[in-house]
Amino acid sequence: MKHTLSVLVENKPGVLTRIAGLFARRGFNIKSLAVGETEDPEVSRMTIVVDGDDRIIEQVTKQLNKLVDVIKLSDITHDEFVDRELVLIKVHCDASNRSEIIQIVDVFRARIVDMGRNSMIIEATGDSGKIDAIETSLRPFGIRELVRTGKIAMVRGPKTRNGEA
Amino acid sequence: MEVVFGYPGGAVLSIYDALYDDDRIKHVLTRHEQGAVHAADGYARATGKPGVVIATSGPGATNLVTGIANAYMDSVPLVAITGQVACNMIGKDSFQEADITGITQPITKYSYLVKDVNHLARIVREAFHIASTGRPGPVVIDLPKDVTAARAEFRYPPEIDLPGYQYMYNGITAKLNCAVEAIKRAKKPVIYAGGGVIASGAHEELLQFAERIQAPVTTTLMGKGAFPDTHPLSLGMLGMHGTCYANYAVSECDLLIGLGVRFDDRVTGRVDTFAPNAEIIHVDIDPAEVGKNVNIDIPLVGDVRSILVDLLREIEPQRHDQWLDTVYRWRRDYPLSYCTKKDTIKPQYVVEEIYKVTNGEAFITTEVGQHQMWAAQYYHCKYPRRFVSSGGLGTMGFGFPAALGVQIAYPDAVVFDIAGDGSIQMNIQELATAVQYKLPVNIAILNNHYLGMVRQWQEMFFNKRYSHSNMAGNPDFVKLAQAYGAEGLRVERPEDVRPALEEAINSPKPFVLDFVVDEEENVYPMVPPGGSLNKMLGGSK
Amino acid sequence: MGITAAQALVKGLEEENVTKVFGYPGGAVLPIYDALIDSDIQHVLVRHEQGAVHMANGYARISGQPGVCIATSGPGATNLVTGIATAYMDSVPVVIITGQVATSMVGTDAFQEVDITGITLPITKHNYLVKRAKDIPRIIKEAFYIARTGRPGPVLIDIPKDVAASTIEYQPVEKVELRGYKPNYKGHPQQIERAVRLINKSKKPVIYVGGGVINSGATEELYELAWKAQMPVTTTLMGLGSFPEDDRLSLHMLGLHGAPYANYAVTNADLLIGLGVRFDDRVTGAIEKFAPQAKIIHIDIDPAEIGKNVVVDVPIVGDLKLVLRDLIEKLEPQEHLEWLEQIEQWKQEHPLQYGNGDRLRPQYVIEKLGELTNHRAVVTADVGQHQMWAAQFYKFTRPRSFLTSGGLGTMGYGFPAAIGAQIADPDALVVTVTGDGSFQMAMQEMGTAVEQNLPIKVLLFNNNSLALVRQLQHFYCDKRYTAVSFTGNPDFAKFAECYGAVGLKIETRDQVEPVLKEALNNGRLTIIEVSISEEELVLPMVPNARGLDEMVQFPFGEEDQCE
Ligand SMILES: Cc1ncc(C[n+]2csc(CCOP(=O)(O)OP(=O)(O)O)c2C)c(N)n1
Ligand SMILES: Cc1ncc(C[n+]2csc(CCOP(=O)(O)OP(=O)(O)O)c2C)c(N)n1
Ligand SMILES: [Mg+2]
């Protein structure tokens, strides 16, 4: 099963390597990983989606916690959280199917950010389910290129990253 | 593959069991995995073929790290095969588990962790391909125990499919013309040749090229042998302990042609005063090297040999009589030199004598320290692949096991490891390997009872505050050799040097020569670190 | 007043009460070496950096304080890798200081540059590349704190040459503040309650002890616990010495080459109490057959160890000393007469034993060594058959008296570790039990031992073979022996003499006692070369993928050994 881990780490060089290295060496499987600064410039937030059974996830969290640069880690899989991912899709199009594609874009509340004679680039944000869905819907037209940012997530409600309400 | 060097263990049992049935591959059992990897490296440097080393998981694999880094820094083709714990044990800190692909990530050209035996044949093929093409380097293949025990249909793939691996760059003709023009324009050209010339097999082309354009040639430590040191156009080595005339020539030249070099800090000294008046042509197979350390006017990315062939096609003979006169005058006025003492052996003298008795035909390996620099300065190399030394990493302990690798490749050759008393101790255990395989290598220890290079720096830059550079507790090296049933001789007087060398060469056994040399001799000339090449200490203007 | 960062480093070491460092100089650490001249810290010059880190390891394991080693950039640093991994696998606190090329050169493949923080990422508890000189005092403080606390481990500090040479205002650091590192020491009271209940209920308990008990200094608590609840104790290789092996409750070592009764006890136990252990594959054998009837209590300082290899009924994260205190207080005295009787019977029927007769047996030599040293020497062992014999037959009685590379199984560890041990405890009697293969991996350190005047005894079992690997080939490769036989070995006694040390030989059974006595009493560095057969086997042995109770036992193989 997929788990979403929200990890606060020291914002300094080499931390990403430490985490990526840990996953590689222990044979854990990263599905996606997104990093960025938080409101505190000394701290970054990583959202890591990992695949594995409970034993594996337990090891992942414990091993991550051992890294000196990992400040706090929460497995938010079972929390109420908002998650988003952004995708850019370059899809093949021509006069015959352009309107059909535009319709799909509308349905998913996505945007067209570039339009050429034979292709267009579509930008969509949403949770992973939605991103998967738009990808599937566009696939028949011929996807030429696709980039996903990986998921970022935030727990709902008043709780903040330090656990304070 | 004809020879592999290795050391067994639990995780490589199946591999060793397969070797049991194989008559084509000779396995050389060393005494430490470090010895095995350096021997494979020496073998590769001397032959040009990839060296192969096998070690078990965990400590066996980690014992290779220095040797892998050493091969990486000097671009030596090497395939390191390591055992690994079974796939289902990986990542659990199992017994003798070490993440060797992770550990060696910064020091390999590429690495594989093989999880499926069906991929093995392809991976082996790719590994040898990657190790030996383009800019050569070490490749690690990590083999879990269960994978080597598993069975598969052996299918050696006919083709290699590696879209991410581009190793052939051809010199761009437009740039080639620029180079031709620059060479024609030049009044004071210098060729600066490195290990890349040897790796690409371009020494003959280099000779033709230098003679054709009448440019003097200086080599790096790694480039020794790329151009005959005995040739009139040769300036010997440049850089920190280069000859004065090479360093002057580089400082004065108006065109510097770098062939298979890295513009390493040991060579350039202070970068902004390096070859200040020169236009620079840089020929190298690795695009990442070009422009890394100094700005290049004319980059030519590609195989040195093919590019030299192209250049030779375009260029008529040139003359630079005046420039050569100047350079030769420097060579006459500021030669390499040292003071002799009547009763004390000078280390430089030993190297000179080794050169003379072997007529420059021997294979020389070195350790790291003062003796290495003296070897580079005073042993004149005539051929490529006969001077084997750790340049980029500067690994003490490399020379002796490397000499074993060389001797295995060329059983009849005369092989000398020019060593220091500090360095030789690092892998002294390999004496047993030399004895076991009856390798008649000669070890010439220039014994100054110091970590001499460290002492020299402490003398020069730390007010003679000698901190832990003195070697007390050295063994009696002669008795040591004898404890192995090898031969040993202590030499204390200058007149005994020559006969001792002759005795060693004629002996069919490994031979340890303990030359008791002047303790506080320094290596000169010397460009102090961060200094300009034309400002040398010792023996200069 | 300003001082150089190198001087600040040395000052930081002094503040951490470091009195010895092990190292080897080179260009990139020259400023540090220069600063060392003016310090009272004693520097031990080794002959290969590998020796330095193993010595620091041995020093740490004897003294309980972090060991410190120094090496130059490039090859100096890479030569430490095996030793760092060794310390990491065995949770030994070591602080490693490496030189690095100047900051401006980092990343350019400069002379003697390697990315040692990258390389050691998988094998350090933490590491630092120092970019600003003024961070040095803080980093030193943190490094020692991290190395020493929680589950100990190696910490590496990589210092570029220019950083070390630059001047800073020295301000001592009072407190370590690490947001991401807060080891947990107190066990959870509820879990402790649950453990007490399980112990009270148990009829056939076994305590299974590892190196963690020694690290936490909890051996007295262990003894109390075992006696109060009358529970037998078996130890791992790393745990040897944590519980006196001459005690009635001792089951000696378990696992791959463990005592038969220890393996039987674990297999039949209804409760297994793991203290500072890892449930390592060398201990458990086939994991699904390990302690099949037992509930498991696992107490360890490292939460990541708990549940890693086996499913645990009662996990307790905390410092063993504290947790065991709590546990002992809450526990009622117990008796397990029947169970202990059963164990006694196994001990009678399946003792640790070996073939006798006239032949010189290595096990006999180790037993004699145990007797002659009153089981109180500091013994370091390398890796191989000799290591297992030392573990099986010496009979350890004190914590911190047996040092060997358990997790990584590093040949070449034993002799330098003995040097570190002897330097940590100059009055101790230090014996290295080694093999011809292993000793050669670190033999250059004879020079160090001679220079430091250390009266270490090197008991070298020479079978001219990598005999433990040979044993594996015997069992798993149909006796097809490859690459295990050494024909170029030196005469080790002569080898000793060329360093000015003593070389002795034992070739027959009746030489064992007199020669050992001579060596133990001569006050000098001594190699005792014991000639044994390469055909000896370490028994018992649990074959691959078998349960602990499925050991191959003595007298297996005796008949086809040539006398
Ligand atoms: C493995 C390793 N450790 C440390 C160094 C740093 N170093 C460079 S030269 C040298 C001294 C070498 O001493 P020795 O082998 O006796 O040669 P000498 O300089 O006396 O000729 C040292 C310690 C190194 N290059 N390699
Ligand atoms: C550095 C290293 N390389 C390889 C191994 C694999 N290995 C384990 S035991 C052993 C043989 C040890 O031989 P020796 O020290 O002579 O001891 P013996 O088994 O003969 O007593 C080997 C090669 C290892 N543990 N460590
Ligand atoms: Mg020396």
Side-chain angles (χ1 to χ4, degrees), chain C residues 404-437:
Chain C
T404 192
S405 164
L408 198 65
T410 306
M411 293 170 68
Y413 169 81
F415 182 45
I419 294 177
Q422 185 79 80
I423 284 174
D425 185 354
D427 299 328
L429 175 60
V430 180
V431 183
T432 297
V433 175
T434 186
D436 54 312

Side-chain angles (χ1 to χ4, degrees), chain A residues 99-110 133-134 137-138 141:
Chain A
S99 61
E100 202 181 335
I101 294 174
I102 291 173
Q103 254 181 15
I104 293 174
V105 166
D106 281 347
V107 170
F108 284 99
R109 274 179 282 144
I134 189 166
S137 320
L138 290 174
F141 302 98

Side-chain angles (χ1 to χ4, degrees), chain B residues 65-95:
Chain B
V65 169
T66 296
I68 292 172
N70 189 65
Y72 181 73
M73 293 294 271
D74 287 347
S75 310
V76 178
L78 186 82
V79 175
I81 297 168
T82 53
Q84 183 54 279
V85 300
C87 288
N88 64 338
M89 303 300 288
I90 292 176
K92 294 185 176 168
D93 312 297
S94 307
F95 178 67

Side-chain angles (χ1 to χ4, degrees), chain C residues 202-214:
Chain C
S202 159
K203 298 263 176 304
K204 300 192 270 180
V206 169
I207 305 180
Y208 146 44
V209 180
V213 168
I214 297 175

Side-chain angles (χ1 to χ4, degrees), chain B residues 5-37:
Chain B
F5 300 85
Y7 205 88
V12 287
L13 278 183
S14 306
I15 302 176
Y16 274 89
D17 200 49
L19 285 173
Y20 186 92
D21 293 326
D22 198 312
D23 312 325
R24 281 176 308 164
I25 300 177
K26 176 182 168 108
H27 175 272
V28 178
L29 175 64
T30 57
R31 290 303 180 275
H32 189 300
E33 288 86 356
Q34 184 180 4
V37 60

Side-chain angles (χ1 to χ4, degrees), chain C residues 27-318:
Chain C
V29 286
L30 284 178
I32 300 173
Y33 271 82
D34 197 58
L36 273 175
I37 295 187
D38 303 319
S39 165
D40 289 335
I41 295 175
Q42 186 203 341
H43 173 275
V44 176
L45 178 68
V46 300
R47 295 302 180 272
H48 188 301
E49 288 85 356
Q50 171 192 259
V53 55
H54 288 330
M55 287 177 207
N57 177 320
Y59 181 88
R61 285 176 68 175
I62 290 301
S63 68
Q65 296 304 310
V68 181
C69 65
I70 307 181
T72 192
S73 67
T78 52
N79 275 349
L80 298 174
V81 168
T82 297
I84 296 172
T86 304
Y88 181 73
M89 291 295 267
D90 288 345
S91 311
V92 182
V94 177
V95 173
I96 301 117
I97 295 161
T98 51
Q100 182 54 280
V101 300
T103 324
S104 60
M105 308 292 291
V106 170
T108 67
D109 313 302
F111 178 66
Q112 292 194 332
E113 179 192 359
V114 295
D115 172 15
I116 196 65
T117 46
I119 288 174
T120 58
L121 216 56
I123 50 170
T124 45
K125 189 167 171 190
H126 195 55
N127 64 27
Y128 296 89
L129 169 59
V130 184
K131 297 216 170 121
R132 292 179 308 190
K134 71 178 170 63
D135 293 341
I136 289 248
R138 174 181 61 78
I139 287 176
I140 298 286
K141 187 108 191 156
E142 286 178 10
F144 276 84
Y145 177 72
I146 293 171
R148 185 181 344 107
T149 55
R151 176 177 181 175
V155 178
L156 180 139
I157 310 173
D158 196 25
I159 309 178
K161 192 171 176 177
D162 57 325
V163 170
S166 59
T167 318
I168 61 165
E169 291 300 322
Y170 185 78
Q171 266 168 344
V173 183
E174 299 301 326
K175 242 184 87 197
V176 174
E177 274 185 58
L178 288 163
R179 284 188 281 199
Y181 179 73
K182 297 206 168 62
N184 188 10
Y185 296 108
K186 276 300 273 167
H188 196 289
Q190 255 168 334
Q191 295 296 68
I192 293 180
E193 281 298 340
R194 287 183 56 206
V196 169
R197 261 178 274 142
L198 275 187
I199 296 174
N200 285 341
K201 265 207 327 240
S202 159
K203 298 263 176 304
K204 300 192 270 180
V206 169
I207 305 180
Y208 146 44
V209 180
V213 168
I214 297 175
N215 279 340
S216 119
T219 50
E220 278 172 29
E221 286 75 8
L222 166 65
Y223 194 78
E224 234 179 285
L225 173 73
W227 273 87
K228 188 163 182 185
Q230 287 293 299
M231 301 188 280
V233 179
T234 179
T235 61
T236 65
L237 188 66
M238 294 302 292
L240 282 171
S242 59
F243 191 80
E245 292 199 284
D246 52 3
D247 191 274
R248 189 167 66 82
L249 288 174
S250 172
L251 292 173
H252 308 126
M253 186 171 75
L254 82 167
L256 180 64
H257 294 300
Y261 38 91
N263 286 346
Y264 288 136
V266 169
T267 309
N268 290 286
D270 66 357
L271 175 67
L272 189 67
I273 309 172
L275 305 179
V277 290
R278 307 189 295 137
F279 294 86
D280 179 66
D281 47 311
R282 284 265 148 150
V283 162
T284 60
I287 196 96
E288 66 283 0
K289 298 182 185 165
F290 179 70
Q293 305 151 27
K295 294 254 187 247
I296 297 183
I297 301 172
H298 187 184
I299 311 179
D300 202 280
I301 187 101
D302 181 359
E305 279 306 334
I306 294 179
K308 189 175 81 175
N309 294 331
V310 295
V311 179
V312 170
D313 299 286
V314 181
I316 304 179
V317 177

Side-chain angles (χ1 to χ4, degrees), chain A residues 8-40:
Chain A
L8 286 176
V9 299
E10 300 280 352
N11 181 10
K12 48 186 191 199
V15 175
L16 184 61
T17 326
R18 283 176 203 271
I19 290 182
L22 184 109
F23 274 79
R25 115 177 125 261
R26 300 217 175 248
F28 304 144
N29 209 348
I30 303 187
K31 284 289 159 197
S32 90
L33 185 152
V35 210
E37 258 182 31
T38 62
E39 73 282 3
D40 175 352

Side-chain angles (χ1 to χ4, degrees), chain B residues 420-422 446 448-452:
Chain B
D421 52 321
L446 308 185
N448 51 15
H449 299 103
Y450 274 110
L451 299 172

